[in-house]
Amino acid sequence: MNLVTLLKPAFKNKTNRMVDKTWDASSRTKPTFNLVKKLHQKQEAMQKLLEEDLDRQRKIEEKPIAVVKKEDEEKPGKIEQPGNKGNKLFPKSPLFQNWGGENLSEDEQKEAQAFFEKYGYNVFLSDRLPLNRPLPDTRDPRCLNKTYPKDLPSIGVVLIYLDEALSILKRAIRSIIDRTPKSLLKEIILVDDHSTNDDLKQDFDMYIKTIEDQNPGLLMTRVSHSEQLGLTTARISGWKAATADVVAILDAHIEVHDLWAEPLLTQIKGDRKLIVSPVFDRVNYYDLEIVTYLPASHAFDWALWCMYERFRPEWYKLNDPSLPGKSPSIMGILVADRTYLGEIGVLDGGMKVYGGENVELGIRVWTCGGSIEVVPCSKIAHIERNHKPYMPDLSITMKRNALRVAEVWMDEYKHNVNLAWNLPFK
């Protein structure tokens, strides 16, 4: 199987209803809010289609997927809401439209809204949650019966951050330490792409010192950029600092589930040329509750914007959604043999800020003799921001990076990318 074979269903005109509907060329010049909103809509639509596929093709009865509900007192991940104290001050804010606000005092609402504007997610609530909060087990039941080799390779986790909220960053670190076997977790590498928040200085230093004291066998490495270099360069910095057999490059606004590492390491142990990805459950930016996502391939359209797509038909014929599935690309989070990643050049350091680097890696891996798999029995909960504070309009860099990928890798097909971005033939 090669990249062209994987991508044929995704690039067929008129026969693929997802690609036909997922990108309006004129929207690529709109503000980032519209881009992110469209992406969320695409992901939610894809999830519905995937559920229909599973029901139709597997023909077995499954427990329905559900959001963590406030009224479910026993369910892990339940979030208590503050008591009723005041009137809504920000009725048009996406935060309070989805989360509420009538239960907060006016001062609390002002604080919550200020945090939301700064970070793009609900830091007010995050600061009031335990760092080791339990997560609901959203894996397929078949995953519970799987066993993994004892002699798995070691793993180093790279967390990339830029002015991330301190409690979010702490919770990511805590989940990695608590839910990764000590025998496998060799190091955590924290790459700071030139943060300016005061609480990410002394307060964060103190927290890391506490982590080191509590985990003497764990190597904590700090990498700091003297200027903002962007997501791709930060990931390369993390890879360079890693020493473990396998490197997992993650966003900092995540929480890993139990047994997240073992399925990924097992796949890489079997084939060192595999780049693997967990399945992401969505963490709502407004209430930080978990929304289950089904396994899906990470494809991309002609604008080189990554999107969820079905696996190839043979995956569904196996009637086992716990099995890994081949994927053209990755959504962003990646786990790879550290040495192999270096052999293929890691990532394109010429990519700027955000966007396109995941598609570039996908093309790079398949072209260089490797392959990509999504591993359903590995789950990571990932916060989807309402907006990205570090750049109000990401369409500029997304366009620039997409054209770079097309120029480097896509030969005569680069014209399709140019058309997708509404560029003239000349």
Side-chain angles (χ1 to χ4, degrees), residues 278-316:
V279 173
F280 312 142
D281 285 335
R282 191 182 80 214
V283 180
N284 293 331
Y285 68 83
Y286 46 91
D287 60 9
L288 303 185
E289 294 184 354
I290 311 298
V291 178
T292 301
Y293 269 25
L294 295 173
S297 173
H298 301 169
F300 49 90
D301 59 15
W302 281 116
L304 305 192
W305 180 254
C306 207
M307 49 185 267
Y308 287 125
E309 184 57 271
R310 295 178 185 85
F311 291 117
R312 290 189 57 78
E314 50 265 32
W315 184 85
Y316 295 96

Side-chain angles (χ1 to χ4, degrees), residues 222-240:
R222 308 281 293 276
V223 178
S224 296
H225 292 168
S226 58
E227 59 179 317
Q228 185 179 337
L229 299 177
L231 182 60
T232 302
T233 303
R235 286 173 171 164
I236 294 172
S237 295
W239 172 81
K240 288 180 177 178

Side-chain angles (χ1 to χ4, degrees), residues 56-68:
R56 181 172 61 255
Q57 297 185 39
R58 291 170 59 189
K59 295 182 180 179
I60 61 172
E61 192 171 332
E62 290 189 349
K63 184 177 179 180
I65 302 301
V67 181
V68 176

